[in-house]
Amino acid sequence: MLDVLIVGSGPAGLSAAIYAKRANLSVEIAEKIFMGTGQVAESGRVDNYLGMPGISGYELGEAFRGHAEAFEIPFREAEVSGFERTENGWRALLADGESMEAKAVIYAAGAKHRHLGAKGEEELAGRGVSYCAVCDGAFYRGKIAAVAGGGDTALDDALYLSELCEKVYLIHRRSEFRGAAATLRKLEERPNVEIITGVVIEEIIGENKVSGIRLSDGRTLEVSGMFVAVGMQPETECVRDIVALDAAGYIKADETGKTSEDGFYAAGDVRTKQLRQVITAVSDGANAAISAAEYLRKL
Ligand code: NAP
C-alpha cells in the first residue's frame, strides 16, 4: 500500500509528489492523460511564473514533469472514477475496473474552463482563443480583443484587458450580468469598452490565428484575441460523495489542503481558493504533501 496516492499530474500533483518523496513517503501519481502536465500545457506563453519569463506553457509543464521524473516518481495512466474508505486509508476505484490503495490521497485533478461551443473555438485555442486573461492578456497589447461571459471573471477580464488593448468588446448572451454591478459601471465608463448583450458568439474566425468573430445578430467583429470567461468546471465528479464541496463544486479546503475527510487532501484548481494560477497550484501541492506527511506521522 502506498503512503500517498496523488491524483493528477498538473503542477499541483507534480509538486505534491516531489515534496512527498522528499518527506520519504512512498508515492504514485494517477494521471488521466498519459504524460500529461495539466492545463498549463494549453497556455501559449506564460509570463507570470517566477523566474521563467516568456516560457511556453508546454515547456513549463515539461520542466515540472522532468523534475518529478528525476525524483523517480512513478506515474500510472489511470482514470479515477471513485473512492472508498478502507481500514487503513483509501481505495481509488479506476475506470478500467482496477484499484489503487493508499494511506492518504492528494486529489489534484484540476478544473476545466468551460468552452463556448462556438464554431472554430477548438481549432483556434492557443491561437487567439484564450481562457485566461491574466495569463495571455499582455500578448494583445494595443490590439482588439473580445471577452465572452457575464460573470465576475468576464467583467474582471474585460477591465484588465481595457488597460492593455486598443478596444475590448464584452459580449454576453443575456442582458443581465451575474458579475458585480460596480465593475460593470467601471466598464461602462471606459471609452474603449463596448458592451454587447443578448447575442451569442456563433463562430470564431481565422486561419491559424483569430481574426474575427461572428455574432448571432449577423455582425462580424474584427478581433485578434477572443477571451472565453464562461465559468470553470472542477473535476470533482468522482469525489462528490466523499468530501464536502462548495456550491460551485470545488472541494472545500484551505491552504493546508485539508478537506472534510481525514487523510484526503485537495490541491490546485480543484479546491476553493481565490487565485487559480500555476504558481498557486505548485504551492498547494507542497502544502498538501506536508499536511499528508504530518497526518501519516501521527497515525
Ligand atoms: P460564472 O459566475 O458561472 O459566470 C459564467 C458566465 O458565463 C455567466 O454569465 C453565463 O451566462 C455565461 N455562460 C456560461 N456558459 C455560456 C455559454 N456556453 N455561452 C455563453 N455564455 C455562457 O463564472 P465566473 O465568472 O468564472 O465566476 C465563478 C465564480 O467565481 C463566481 O462565484 C464569481 O463571483 C467568482 N469570482 C469572483 C471574482 C471577484 O470577486 N472579483 C472574480 C472572478 C470570479 P448566464 O449569466 O446567462 O448564465
Side-chain angles (χ1 to χ4, degrees):
M1 177 189 276
L2 292 166
D3 289 325
V4 183
L5 166 64
I6 296 170
V7 180
S9 56
L14 294 170
S15 158
I18 289 164
Y19 272 76
K21 186 79 191 262
R22 282 174 51 85
N24 254 340
L25 303 175
S26 64
V27 57
E28 188 165 0
I29 296 182
E31 57 177 354
K32 190 153 87 172
I33 296 172
F34 177 63
M35 296 293 286
T37 56
Q39 269 184 68
V40 63
E42 289 171 23
S43 285
R45 202 173 118 170
V46 178
D47 251 346
N48 55 6
Y49 192 82
L50 192 66
M52 309 269 189
I55 193 166
S56 78
Y58 178 81
E59 275 179 297
L60 187 58
E62 286 301 297
F64 290 159
R65 190 169 178 112
H67 192 162
E69 283 171 355
F71 275 64
E72 297 178 344
I73 310 275
F75 291 84
R76 175 167 172 172
E77 191 184 347
E79 183 173 350
V80 176
S81 53
F83 287 92
E84 287 173 355
R85 250 206 192 283
T86 63
E87 207 177 313
N88 301 314
W90 296 92
R91 180 181 300 118
L93 308 171
L94 308 182
D96 64 6
E98 302 226 346
S99 62
M100 295 172 84
E101 292 201 15
K103 293 177 196 157
V105 171
I106 296 176
Y107 189 81
K112 300 182 283 218
H113 291 282
R114 212 178 278 144
H115 288 199
L116 267 180
K119 193 173 167 205
E121 181 178 8
E122 306 306 321
E123 295 81 344
L124 292 166
R127 296 161 180 216
V129 174
S130 167
Y131 297 87
C132 178
V134 176
C135 318
D136 299 331
F139 308 128
Y140 298 90
R141 195 181 292 275
K143 298 184 178 166
I144 303 177
V147 177
D152 281 314
T153 304
L155 299 188
D156 286 357
D157 285 0
L159 201 59
Y160 176 72
L161 290 169
S162 73
E163 307 276 352
L164 305 167
C165 298
E166 181 195 331
K167 177 165 180 121
V168 176
Y169 294 102
L170 171 62
I171 300 167
H172 179 35
R173 62 183 177 186
R174 291 186 303 128
S175 53
E176 291 86 36
F177 284 84
R178 287 173 191 273
T183 319
L184 186 60
R185 260 197 313 279
K186 278 190 203 158
L187 285 168
E188 285 164 348
E189 284 162 10
R190 297 265 157 124
N192 65 338
V193 174
E194 184 175 337
I195 300 172
I196 303 175
T197 57
V199 297
V200 171
I201 297 168
E202 290 192 331
E203 184 178 359
I204 304 170
I205 305 160
E207 297 258 338
N208 283 323
K209 62 179 182 157
V210 171
S211 59
I213 49 175
R214 189 170 53 77
L215 307 180
S216 56
D217 62 6
R219 269 191 289 174
T220 299
L221 306 177
E222 264 183 43
V223 302
S224 324
M226 177 66 246
F227 288 86
V228 179
V230 297
M232 297 283 291
Q233 257 176 306
E235 299 266 17
T236 50
E237 199 47 45
C238 70
V239 297
R240 178 160 297 284
D241 301 324
I242 302 292
V243 289
L245 306 181
D246 75 359
Y250 293 93
I251 298 176
K252 284 188 182 174
D254 65 10
E255 212 180 317
T256 64
K258 288 179 189 158
T259 68
S260 57
E261 294 302 305
D262 281 347
F264 201 105
Y265 300 88
D269 282 4
V270 82
R271 81 168 176 93
T272 47
K273 64 195 299 192
Q274 197 187 0
L275 184 64
R276 295 192 167 87
Q277 294 277 284
V278 178
I279 204 154
T280 63
V282 166
S283 144
D284 273 10
N287 272 307
I290 296 309
S291 298
E294 268 170 26
Y295 166 78
L296 293 172
R297 211 168 26 243
K298 283 183 195 153
L299 272 188

